[in-house]
Amino acid sequence: MTEHPTDTTHAATGPAGPLTEAALDELAATAAGTAVVGLGESTRFSRETFEIRDRLFRRLVRNHGFRTLALQDSADAAADLDRYV
């Protein structure tokens, strides 16, 4: 992935440094050509995990036409995502 160190808007920090908007755009574009995208996490219930997943899901819906999301989460989170999609 191409890194843009000066682009820190809404950047979440991980072990490899900030995950920039440009990096998420590139990841979503790579996933866009597939029928199913699977996301996993090494830790549950962390703010950063939810933030990154949310940002990636929104890109896939907005920019790449995804309309079905399946995830392990609370009913409230699912209802919020259902309203968005």
Side-chain angles (χ1 to χ4, degrees):
M1 273 186 231
T2 305
E3 286 292 326
H4 299 280
T6 58
D7 179 10
T8 58
T9 307
H10 298 95
T13 302
L19 187 56
T20 64
E21 296 301 308
L24 280 173
D25 286 340
E26 189 173 335
L27 181 59
T30 300
T34 64
V36 176
V37 175
L39 300 176
E41 67 252 7
S42 61
T43 182
R44 297 244 358 190
F45 307 113
S46 74
R47 180 181 52 94
E48 294 82 4
T49 299
F50 287 118
E51 177 186 326
I52 291 169
R53 184 184 71 185
D54 179 68
R55 290 164 51 204
L56 182 57
F57 278 170
R58 289 178 186 275
R59 277 173 174 71
L60 291 171
V61 169
R62 245 187 326 225
N63 302 336
H64 302 288
F66 278 67
R67 294 292 177 259
T68 303
L69 304 173
L71 57 125
Q72 179 183 349
D73 212 322
S74 70
D76 290 337
D80 289 342
L81 286 168
D82 191 41
R83 280 191 293 278
Y84 179 77
V85 173

